[in-house]
Amino acid sequence: MSAVRAAFNPRSASAFDVERIRADFPILQLKIDGKPLVYLDNAASSQMPQTVIDRLVRYQTSEHANINRAVHYLSETATSEYEAARRKLQHFIHAREEREVILTSGTTDAINLVMHGYGRKFIKSGDEIILTTLEHHSNIVPWQMLAEEKGAKIRVVPINDAGELLIDDYEKLFNERTRFVGVMHVSNALGTVNPVKKMIAFAHERGVPVLVDGAQAAPHLQVDVKDLDCDFYAFSGHKLCGPTGIGVLFGKAALLEKMQPFKGGGDMIMSVTFEKTTYNTIPHKFEAGTPPIAAAIGLGAAVDYLSAIGMDAIAEYEHALLSYATEQMTRMPGVRILGTATNKAAVLSFTVDGVHPHDVGTLLNQEGVAVRTGHHCAQPVMQRFKVPATSRASFAFYNSMAEVDALVGGIRSVQKVFA
Amino acid sequence: MADYRALYQEVILDHNKKPRNYGTLEHASHHAVGHNPLCGDHITVALNLNLDPECVECIDGIAFQGESCAICKASASMMTVAVKGRTRTDVETLIQEFLAMATGKLDLDTPNHIGRLAVFAGVRDLPTRVKCAILPWHTLHAAFNSVASASTEAAEDPMHAPIGNA
């Protein structure tokens, strides 16, 4: 790894042809108020390459029908393309079986599926669920709803000043009542890459299943659910160069089979009478109603695109981007970076002294620079760092070093306005 | 397209840096806390309504404080300056006019009481920032009505103006 990394010249990035990649994304040609768009809000949603756009057009132009229903040509085509997308996603995360890949509407939907399908069936009064301070609201609120319904208790893993989970404290939270662990792979607010493999192994030694929220990990690093040995892994398509409205829940087949359905309806059944309904096998048991077929097929094309570049190459290049940006911003007086974990993905959360993040965001937008400002749906993280909000630049593999410079220049002009 | 920097004019930056009437008000007759759940910003507005027959329901004193962005803080600061000494009825009219201006529904060429507050007209082009500018005014209205808490999100808020996708 380090040898490859050393070969990177952050200014030329010759090992990774970012200009060629940028040409794949039509939206990157946009000008905002006459300035080239500098899109640094990838943790919120990423952009779509032409090949995925074309795939969506081809589907709607010549392949669309409802799936799993009729015997006609279009229905068979749509069904086989939808299932092909599932297999692509299976290989993308290295799942053992394709039936372990449930297509959901996104990460939130996937986590709610686990809460309803697993939590409501197996978690009882007095049981404990371990979450972390870093969690996105989508991996907090469903569990709070469950805890309230069942009389269960939520325990929270604290973090240090760098934004890293305190693993000793995590281990101490376990007791005979611990029934479930929910942890994010990569923090959306700070970029911290959590040691989930180690945390999963510890939980498994105590017979406790683990859900990993991979929304911010899947776009930035090679995900291997077999290697992690996680019980559930959730992520979203739109952060992965795919369409909105599609996401994935990976679940171990044995667990998925024991779970109760989340939503009832068509497709998730074998047979229905008013006396008794028999549920379909997995993954269909969890895919009630007509799914987002086009979005699923589009996401299949997106992971093809990413795999062709290579997730390792992407991680490598983004690391160079992050290092360069961190180096530049650390040198800026009055700028504070939140989240300084040793192991980080390409997210840079920061505050500018004396300037509210919303003012930073509005003024950066004037320079064409798109960042996220706010609490990033991670209010406990903001509370931990005693800030109401931050500005967040989140990078993708199609961002260039010149765009980092545009961000830095933009922050300087913000400081000038507020000087 | 809007010139975003136009919003960050000298007067707004000045009120942000040196907010007028910032702090608490002893023995306030009316008081409310305004909260913008979208960004976690909050401000408190406290005021004293004069019951003297010569100026019934005049704002004798007003103060605000809180955590907020420059737009919100400057809006609150300039609001306190604009409403001090005026009657509740006049101020209610001004609140309506300010909300209308911020949401692009006020023609500044028609007679109005906006005056120097016109520096906030630019927020109408920044849907996500409209709430920042109007939070102090919502809160002032809530204070008049002794509503415990104003919010730019709450549907039951009587002042919840239809503000597009803001």
mmCIF file of all heavy atoms in Angstrom, chain B residues 25-53:
data_model
loop_
_atom_site.group_PDB
_atom_site.id
_atom_site.type_symbol
_atom_site.label_atom_id
_atom_site.label_comp_id
_atom_site.label_asym_id
_atom_site.label_seq_id
_atom_site.Cartn_x
_atom_site.Cartn_y
_atom_site.Cartn_z
ATOM 1 N N LEU B 25 -33.048 40.897 29.108
ATOM 2 C CA LEU B 25 -33.831 42.047 29.551
ATOM 3 C C LEU B 25 -34.456 41.695 30.896
ATOM 4 O O LEU B 25 -35.188 40.708 30.996
ATOM 5 C CB LEU B 25 -34.923 42.341 28.510
ATOM 6 C CG LEU B 25 -35.669 43.660 28.619
ATOM 7 C CD1 LEU B 25 -34.730 44.838 28.341
ATOM 8 C CD2 LEU B 25 -36.820 43.690 27.619
ATOM 9 N N GLU B 26 -34.128 42.478 31.913
ATOM 10 C CA GLU B 26 -34.694 42.214 33.246
ATOM 11 C C GLU B 26 -36.188 42.515 33.232
ATOM 12 O O GLU B 26 -36.619 43.480 32.615
ATOM 13 C CB GLU B 26 -33.984 43.093 34.275
ATOM 14 C CG GLU B 26 -32.505 42.784 34.402
ATOM 15 C CD GLU B 26 -32.127 42.331 35.799
ATOM 16 O OE1 GLU B 26 -32.859 42.669 36.737
ATOM 17 O OE2 GLU B 26 -31.109 41.621 35.920
ATOM 18 N N HIS B 27 -36.947 41.690 33.910
ATOM 19 C CA HIS B 27 -38.398 41.893 34.064
ATOM 20 C C HIS B 27 -39.118 42.056 32.722
ATOM 21 O O HIS B 27 -39.962 42.931 32.555
ATOM 22 C CB HIS B 27 -38.687 43.102 34.963
ATOM 23 C CG HIS B 27 -37.869 43.120 36.224
ATOM 24 N ND1 HIS B 27 -37.968 42.121 37.171
ATOM 25 C CD2 HIS B 27 -36.925 43.982 36.661
ATOM 26 C CE1 HIS B 27 -37.107 42.382 38.157
ATOM 27 N NE2 HIS B 27 -36.469 43.501 37.878
ATOM 28 N N ALA B 28 -38.761 41.255 31.768
ATOM 29 C CA ALA B 28 -39.438 41.329 30.472
ATOM 30 C C ALA B 28 -40.898 40.931 30.621
ATOM 31 O O ALA B 28 -41.225 39.997 31.360
ATOM 32 C CB ALA B 28 -38.743 40.401 29.487
ATOM 33 N N SER B 29 -41.777 41.643 29.914
ATOM 34 C CA SER B 29 -43.198 41.280 29.992
ATOM 35 C C SER B 29 -43.525 40.163 28.999
ATOM 36 O O SER B 29 -44.450 39.399 29.185
ATOM 37 C CB SER B 29 -44.073 42.508 29.705
ATOM 38 O OG SER B 29 -43.841 42.973 28.386
ATOM 39 N N HIS B 30 -42.742 40.104 27.920
ATOM 40 C CA HIS B 30 -42.963 39.072 26.902
ATOM 41 C C HIS B 30 -41.622 38.469 26.501
ATOM 42 O O HIS B 30 -40.607 39.164 26.470
ATOM 43 C CB HIS B 30 -43.645 39.665 25.673
ATOM 44 C CG HIS B 30 -45.031 40.145 25.921
ATOM 45 N ND1 HIS B 30 -45.301 41.266 26.654
ATOM 46 C CD2 HIS B 30 -46.236 39.635 25.540
ATOM 47 C CE1 HIS B 30 -46.607 41.447 26.715
ATOM 48 N NE2 HIS B 30 -47.205 40.465 26.048
ATOM 49 N N HIS B 31 -41.685 37.200 26.145
ATOM 50 C CA HIS B 31 -40.425 36.490 25.933
ATOM 51 C C HIS B 31 -40.714 35.233 25.106
ATOM 52 O O HIS B 31 -41.753 34.596 25.272
ATOM 53 C CB HIS B 31 -39.874 36.155 27.342
ATOM 54 C CG HIS B 31 -38.889 35.059 27.382
ATOM 55 N ND1 HIS B 31 -39.248 33.753 27.559
ATOM 56 C CD2 HIS B 31 -37.541 35.075 27.269
ATOM 57 C CE1 HIS B 31 -38.154 32.997 27.562
ATOM 58 N NE2 HIS B 31 -37.119 33.779 27.389
ATOM 59 N N ALA B 32 -39.830 34.912 24.175
ATOM 60 C CA ALA B 32 -39.985 33.651 23.427
ATOM 61 C C ALA B 32 -38.627 33.166 22.925
ATOM 62 O O ALA B 32 -37.702 33.965 22.738
ATOM 63 C CB ALA B 32 -40.927 33.833 22.241
ATOM 64 N N VAL B 33 -38.553 31.867 22.721
ATOM 65 C CA VAL B 33 -37.341 31.264 22.162
ATOM 66 C C VAL B 33 -37.679 30.761 20.765
ATOM 67 O O VAL B 33 -38.683 30.061 20.581
ATOM 68 C CB VAL B 33 -36.843 30.086 23.033
ATOM 69 C CG1 VAL B 33 -35.558 29.514 22.440
ATOM 70 C CG2 VAL B 33 -36.613 30.525 24.461
ATOM 71 N N GLY B 34 -36.887 31.141 19.799
ATOM 72 C CA GLY B 34 -37.076 30.665 18.428
ATOM 73 C C GLY B 34 -35.987 29.668 18.083
ATOM 74 O O GLY B 34 -34.835 29.827 18.475
ATOM 75 N N HIS B 35 -36.370 28.645 17.339
ATOM 76 C CA HIS B 35 -35.452 27.551 17.085
ATOM 77 C C HIS B 35 -35.552 27.156 15.615
ATOM 78 O O HIS B 35 -36.650 27.032 15.077
ATOM 79 C CB HIS B 35 -35.859 26.389 17.995
ATOM 80 C CG HIS B 35 -34.990 25.200 17.876
ATOM 81 N ND1 HIS B 35 -33.658 25.228 18.190
ATOM 82 C CD2 HIS B 35 -35.258 23.935 17.466
ATOM 83 C CE1 HIS B 35 -33.132 24.032 17.988
ATOM 84 N NE2 HIS B 35 -34.085 23.232 17.537
ATOM 85 N N ASN B 36 -34.436 26.989 14.976
ATOM 86 C CA ASN B 36 -34.428 26.475 13.605
ATOM 87 C C ASN B 36 -33.840 25.071 13.625
ATOM 88 O O ASN B 36 -32.630 24.897 13.660
ATOM 89 C CB ASN B 36 -33.600 27.403 12.702
ATOM 90 C CG ASN B 36 -33.626 26.943 11.255
ATOM 91 O OD1 ASN B 36 -34.120 25.853 10.949
ATOM 92 N ND2 ASN B 36 -33.092 27.764 10.368
ATOM 93 N N PRO B 37 -34.706 24.060 13.646
ATOM 94 C CA PRO B 37 -34.224 22.692 13.813
ATOM 95 C C PRO B 37 -33.314 22.240 12.670
ATOM 96 O O PRO B 37 -32.532 21.309 12.824
ATOM 97 C CB PRO B 37 -35.501 21.846 13.856
ATOM 98 C CG PRO B 37 -36.628 22.736 13.538
ATOM 99 C CD PRO B 37 -36.158 24.144 13.433
ATOM 100 N N LEU B 38 -33.412 22.930 11.549
ATOM 101 C CA LEU B 38 -32.607 22.563 10.393
ATOM 102 C C LEU B 38 -31.115 22.716 10.674
ATOM 103 O O LEU B 38 -30.295 21.940 10.229
ATOM 104 C CB LEU B 38 -32.997 23.475 9.227
ATOM 105 C CG LEU B 38 -32.929 22.857 7.851
ATOM 106 C CD1 LEU B 38 -33.949 21.747 7.714
ATOM 107 C CD2 LEU B 38 -33.155 23.924 6.798
ATOM 108 N N CYS B 39 -30.752 23.762 11.415
ATOM 109 C CA CYS B 39 -29.333 24.004 11.663
ATOM 110 C C CYS B 39 -29.013 24.059 13.147
ATOM 111 O O CYS B 39 -27.844 24.199 13.515
ATOM 112 C CB CYS B 39 -28.909 25.306 11.006
ATOM 113 S SG CYS B 39 -29.866 26.707 11.561
ATOM 114 N N GLY B 40 -30.023 23.948 13.998
ATOM 115 C CA GLY B 40 -29.765 23.975 15.437
ATOM 116 C C GLY B 40 -29.644 25.380 15.992
ATOM 117 O O GLY B 40 -29.396 25.566 17.175
ATOM 118 N N ASP B 41 -29.821 26.395 15.143
ATOM 119 C CA ASP B 41 -29.737 27.764 15.627
ATOM 120 C C ASP B 41 -30.931 28.093 16.517
ATOM 121 O O ASP B 41 -32.027 27.591 16.311
ATOM 122 C CB ASP B 41 -29.713 28.750 14.452
ATOM 123 C CG ASP B 41 -28.364 28.747 13.753
ATOM 124 O OD1 ASP B 41 -27.471 28.030 14.222
ATOM 125 O OD2 ASP B 41 -28.224 29.471 12.756
ATOM 126 N N HIS B 42 -30.679 28.961 17.505
ATOM 127 C CA HIS B 42 -31.779 29.389 18.362
ATOM 128 C C HIS B 42 -31.531 30.810 18.830
ATOM 129 O O HIS B 42 -30.383 31.214 19.017
ATOM 130 C CB HIS B 42 -31.932 28.455 19.569
ATOM 131 C CG HIS B 42 -30.693 28.331 20.379
ATOM 132 N ND1 HIS B 42 -30.381 29.186 21.407
ATOM 133 C CD2 HIS B 42 -29.646 27.475 20.268
ATOM 134 C CE1 HIS B 42 -29.208 28.847 21.909
ATOM 135 N NE2 HIS B 42 -28.733 27.822 21.238
ATOM 136 N N ILE B 43 -32.603 31.566 18.995
ATOM 137 C CA ILE B 43 -32.465 32.900 19.571
ATOM 138 C C ILE B 43 -33.610 33.154 20.551
ATOM 139 O O ILE B 43 -34.684 32.568 20.436
ATOM 140 C CB ILE B 43 -32.404 34.038 18.520
ATOM 141 C CG1 ILE B 43 -33.759 34.233 17.840
ATOM 142 C CG2 ILE B 43 -31.320 33.823 17.491
ATOM 143 C CD1 ILE B 43 -33.870 35.638 17.260
ATOM 144 N N THR B 44 -33.311 33.993 21.521
ATOM 145 C CA THR B 44 -34.303 34.391 22.512
ATOM 146 C C THR B 44 -34.617 35.865 22.299
ATOM 147 O O THR B 44 -33.696 36.664 22.126
ATOM 148 C CB THR B 44 -33.720 34.213 23.927
ATOM 149 O OG1 THR B 44 -33.287 32.866 24.042
ATOM 150 C CG2 THR B 44 -34.756 34.497 24.998
ATOM 151 N N VAL B 45 -35.888 36.188 22.284
ATOM 152 C CA VAL B 45 -36.296 37.588 22.193
ATOM 153 C C VAL B 45 -37.105 37.920 23.450
ATOM 154 O O VAL B 45 -38.049 37.192 23.795
ATOM 155 C CB VAL B 45 -37.144 37.864 20.929
ATOM 156 C CG1 VAL B 45 -37.728 39.274 20.965
ATOM 157 C CG2 VAL B 45 -36.301 37.670 19.668
ATOM 158 N N ALA B 46 -36.695 38.973 24.141
ATOM 159 C CA ALA B 46 -37.421 39.408 25.336
ATOM 160 C C ALA B 46 -37.778 40.879 25.156
ATOM 161 O O ALA B 46 -36.980 41.653 24.605
ATOM 162 C CB ALA B 46 -36.548 39.230 26.568
ATOM 163 N N LEU B 47 -38.964 41.262 25.574
ATOM 164 C CA LEU B 47 -39.357 42.670 25.395
ATOM 165 C C LEU B 47 -40.277 43.120 26.519
ATOM 166 O O LEU B 47 -40.878 42.305 27.226
ATOM 167 C CB LEU B 47 -40.032 42.867 24.037
ATOM 168 C CG LEU B 47 -41.301 42.074 23.758
ATOM 169 C CD1 LEU B 47 -42.538 42.918 24.037
ATOM 170 C CD2 LEU B 47 -41.308 41.627 22.304
ATOM 171 N N ASN B 48 -40.364 44.436 26.644
ATOM 172 C CA ASN B 48 -41.263 45.061 27.608
ATOM 173 C C ASN B 48 -42.291 45.890 26.871
ATOM 174 O O ASN B 48 -41.933 46.783 26.105
ATOM 175 C CB ASN B 48 -40.456 45.984 28.534
ATOM 176 C CG ASN B 48 -40.306 45.356 29.898
ATOM 177 O OD1 ASN B 48 -41.260 44.773 30.426
ATOM 178 N ND2 ASN B 48 -39.122 45.479 30.464
ATOM 179 N N LEU B 49 -43.551 45.583 27.075
ATOM 180 C CA LEU B 49 -44.613 46.369 26.449
ATOM 181 C C LEU B 49 -45.103 47.412 27.442
ATOM 182 O O LEU B 49 -45.492 47.081 28.566
ATOM 183 C CB LEU B 49 -45.784 45.471 26.039
ATOM 184 C CG LEU B 49 -45.715 44.806 24.662
ATOM 185 C CD1 LEU B 49 -47.048 44.150 24.350
ATOM 186 C CD2 LEU B 49 -45.344 45.794 23.565
ATOM 187 N N ASN B 50 -45.076 48.667 27.029
ATOM 188 C CA ASN B 50 -45.516 49.773 27.868
ATOM 189 C C ASN B 50 -47.049 49.766 27.957
ATOM 190 O O ASN B 50 -47.733 49.612 26.947
ATOM 191 C CB ASN B 50 -45.039 51.082 27.229
ATOM 192 C CG ASN B 50 -45.224 52.256 28.163
ATOM 193 O OD1 ASN B 50 -46.010 52.194 29.115
ATOM 194 N ND2 ASN B 50 -44.504 53.328 27.895
ATOM 195 N N LEU B 51 -47.572 49.910 29.155
ATOM 196 C CA LEU B 51 -49.032 49.961 29.295
ATOM 197 C C LEU B 51 -49.496 51.380 29.619
ATOM 198 O O LEU B 51 -50.655 51.629 29.918
ATOM 199 C CB LEU B 51 -49.493 48.972 30.366
ATOM 200 C CG LEU B 51 -49.169 47.514 30.008
ATOM 201 C CD1 LEU B 51 -49.509 46.579 31.145
ATOM 202 C CD2 LEU B 51 -49.869 47.090 28.723
ATOM 203 N N ASP B 52 -48.573 52.343 29.531
ATOM 204 C CA ASP B 52 -48.853 53.755 29.726
ATOM 205 C C ASP B 52 -49.923 54.206 28.729
ATOM 206 O O ASP B 52 -49.802 53.955 27.533
ATOM 207 C CB ASP B 52 -47.536 54.514 29.469
ATOM 208 C CG ASP B 52 -47.636 55.975 29.873
ATOM 209 O OD1 ASP B 52 -48.710 56.556 29.683
ATOM 210 O OD2 ASP B 52 -46.622 56.499 30.362
ATOM 211 N N PRO B 53 -50.983 54.877 29.188
ATOM 212 C CA PRO B 53 -52.059 55.282 28.281
ATOM 213 C C PRO B 53 -51.578 56.157 27.115
ATOM 214 O O PRO B 53 -52.204 56.193 26.062
ATOM 215 C CB PRO B 53 -53.033 56.070 29.167
ATOM 216 C CG PRO B 53 -52.567 55.945 30.559
ATOM 217 C CD PRO B 53 -51.253 55.266 30.588
#
